[in-house]
Amino acid sequence: MKNILKVISLTLACGMMCLFTACTPKDTGGNKPGGPVETPAIANPWWSTTGEMSYDADGNPVFDDVTISLASVVAGNDIVPLKAIIDEFNAEYRGRIQVEVESISQDIYEQSVGQRISTGANAPDLLMCHNKSHKSFAESKLIQPMDEAYQAAKIEFNKGDYADGLIALSDLGYTNTQFTVPIDMQSLVIYYNKDLLASIGKELPTTHAELLDVCAAFAAKYSVSDGYYPFSCPVTDNDYFPRYLYMTMFVQNGGTPYNLSTLRAEWSSGANLQAFRDTDRAVKDLTENNYFKYGENIQTADNRFFNNKSLFLIERPWASEEFFQAYLTLNSGVTDINSVIGGASTAGLFAMDPTRATANSVFGDSHGFILSKTVKSIEVKAAIAVFCDWFTHNATAGKEWGEGGHMSASKVILNSEEYNSSAYNTTFLNGFYSTPDQFITIGNTIHYSELIDRLANVATQCLMSSQYIDIIVQTQEAQFNDYIDLMG
């Protein structure tokens, strides 16, 4: 008997809070970025299970043509490698498990998938979406834990196989429960021009002081009046700058987005206020010295780099193939992109104190798998566990997903010979981030959408307003906390 599940591909998503309402959870841990928010154990499960598993003579699970529907928020350049990876899984498990993918835009993903699960109409079985939305899905009782699925598949879920910061969030705050299977890490990264760097006799910077030194040397050799800038970074066409790069600066300087015990913002005093001040200084060290021209669109910023008039380009790693093709088109004499373009990390470049424990942190998003509450068949649940485990442990899949611009959250894949045999992964992806365990996300809070919006407002206003950073921070803090009060 066939079990039909639909697979929906996730688009890079910023979540919408309008669908999710829940009580504010309490925290018993410390106030650190992305730390766990504790919630009591689940006493009354809101999901159910039907059927029985079959196993062969060796004790391995038997699957009879199970179809899994996957809803994925991946919808950009990276949808091509995602579908290719899923095709490889389907070929390996032909006749036993089939995964079908649907791609849904990040703008409507949470509302659309949430409604389909809550009504049971055309609901996906498996979700592949940004981890920041998982807490809201759980609090709204739209997803179920993975524990039973892994047990039925006889697969041991080893938390040590995954990046520390991401696996620490995977229980979504529920005691002894596994909701999320981490997939990857993503943030803005640095592409750099090797010839331009060599022309000024400098090495890649690893601290803020070194960054300013490199930019000063570039500015001394190449004039702004001729269209040269050390840094290019698009700002106006997308919100990656305030939501990824600015937040990376903030956490590098010791900032924490919210108090885990109350989920409220505490930005206008103490270490957080100083972190905002240091972040403001880090940005203005670049803008006030004409090292970075704030407010440019994608075409302007990218084309400057493609025309060899910027040393650094801060951009999306999942669009690297598009960047490389554009560069080769404008530079017909170049045949090997690796000979002229390199990959570097934002880690350490904006921390005023390079010795700070968080100086090399990188802030961003992470995709993860979560299981819809509508899945009842134990055979389907076990099949989903097999796919999730395969996706996060298969070296070939990890290599291909890395080449699609996503650094794996699986330490097994990151340490595999096949993953590191990829020229792209070794030249670019491994240089884009510091270490997996220093990757930070917004953490487990149902208020993440409003929180990210307010922090993005700080980032935008500090560069577009004459107001002192303290006033901007105080205003946005008050507005966010008013929102928390309104939500009850």
Side-chain angles (χ1 to χ4, degrees), residues 321-341:
E321 184 176 348
E322 174 187 329
F323 301 152
F324 295 158
Q325 186 56 54
Y327 186 88
L328 293 173
T329 299
L330 291 173
N331 297 271
S332 57
V334 177
T335 57
D336 179 14
I337 197 70
N338 293 328
S339 67
V340 290
I341 305 299

Side-chain angles (χ1 to χ4, degrees), residues 126-141:
L126 183 63
L127 285 65
M128 178 189 183
C129 54
H130 291 123
N131 291 30
K132 61 192 177 188
S133 65
H134 293 187
K135 181 69 172 179
S136 294
F137 277 115
E139 291 291 283
S140 300
K141 297 181 171 56

Side-chain angles (χ1 to χ4, degrees), residues 3-9 65-72 82-102 124-128 369 380 382-391:
N3 298 298
I4 300 182
L5 305 103
K6 300 175 181 176
V7 181
I8 311 168
S9 288
D65 200 14
V66 176
T67 302
I68 301 171
S69 61
L70 171 66
S72 173
L82 175 63
K83 288 183 175 180
I85 291 168
I86 291 174
D87 286 344
E88 292 166 14
F89 173 85
N90 289 338
E92 183 176 336
Y93 283 84
R94 182 171 288 115
R96 293 177 291 165
I97 305 173
Q98 172 85 10
V99 176
E100 299 175 353
V101 185
E102 178 187 356
D125 304 309
L126 183 63
L127 285 65
M128 178 189 183
F369 290 122
V380 175
I384 286 172
V386 169
F387 172 69
C388 293
D389 184 72
W390 181 92
F391 198 103

Side-chain angles (χ1 to χ4, degrees), residues 17-34:
M17 287 299 300
C18 59
L19 179 64
F20 306 107
T21 57
C23 297
T24 301
K26 300 298 181 183
D27 170 55
T28 60
N31 182 21
K32 60 182 180 180

Side-chain angles (χ1 to χ4, degrees), residues 32-164:
K32 60 182 180 180
V37 178
E38 295 297 337
T39 303
I42 301 172
N44 299 302
W46 53 84
W47 63 93
S48 61
T49 303
T50 60
E52 295 182 357
M53 279 299 299
S54 297
Y55 299 93
D56 63 20
D58 296 322
N60 300 313
V62 175
F63 299 103
D64 180 19
D65 200 14
V66 176
T67 302
I68 301 171
S69 61
L70 171 66
S72 173
V73 76
V74 175
N77 306 63
D78 42 358
I79 188 61
V80 175
L82 175 63
K83 288 183 175 180
I85 291 168
I86 291 174
D87 286 344
E88 292 166 14
F89 173 85
N90 289 338
E92 183 176 336
Y93 283 84
R94 182 171 288 115
R96 293 177 291 165
I97 305 173
Q98 172 85 10
V99 176
E100 299 175 353
V101 185
E102 178 187 356
S103 182
I104 301 176
S105 166
Q106 64 178 346
D107 297 330
I108 63 170
Y109 182 86
E110 292 168 33
Q111 184 175 12
S112 173
V113 172
Q115 287 177 341
R116 288 161 64 174
I117 293 175
S118 63
T119 62
N122 196 27
D125 304 309
L126 183 63
L127 285 65
M128 178 189 183
C129 54
H130 291 123
N131 291 30
K132 61 192 177 188
S133 65
H134 293 187
K135 181 69 172 179
S136 294
F137 277 115
E139 291 291 283
S140 300
K141 297 181 171 56
L142 298 177
I143 59 175
Q144 61 180 299
M146 288 276 188
D147 305 85
E148 186 181 25
Y150 272 75
Q151 290 166 6
K154 294 192 174 181
I155 298 173
E156 179 183 357
F157 189 92
N158 187 349
K159 291 188 175 184
D161 288 351
Y162 299 90
D164 291 359

Side-chain angles (χ1 to χ4, degrees), residues 279-289 462-463 465 467:
T279 298
D280 190 52
R281 184 69 265 154
V283 177
K284 289 177 178 173
D285 281 345
L286 301 177
T287 57
E288 292 176 353
N289 289 293
C462 78
L463 287 165
S465 170
Q467 284 185 306

Side-chain angles (χ1 to χ4, degrees), residues 405-481:
H406 296 280
M407 186 174 186
S408 179
S410 168
K411 294 180 181 180
V412 174
I413 288 176
L414 292 176
N415 293 325
S416 69
E417 182 178 351
E418 184 169 0
Y419 176 88
N420 289 290
S421 69
S422 163
Y424 176 83
N425 291 344
T426 54
T427 302
F428 293 96
L429 206 62
N430 289 346
F432 283 157
Y433 305 101
S434 47
T435 68
D437 295 338
Q438 291 181 305
F439 188 84
I440 294 175
T441 68
I442 202 65
N444 287 333
T445 171
I446 62 172
H447 307 300
Y448 73 88
S449 184
E450 181 73 13
L451 178 67
I452 292 172
D453 284 346
R454 292 299 167 190
L455 288 165
N457 286 345
V458 174
T460 302
Q461 292 178 24
C462 78
L463 287 165
M464 299 185 67
S465 170
S466 60
Q467 284 185 306
Y468 189 47
I469 184 65
D470 292 31
I471 299 175
I472 296 172
V473 168
Q474 185 178 29
T475 300
Q476 294 302 316
E477 174 192 68
Q479 292 179 355
F480 174 74
N481 287 336

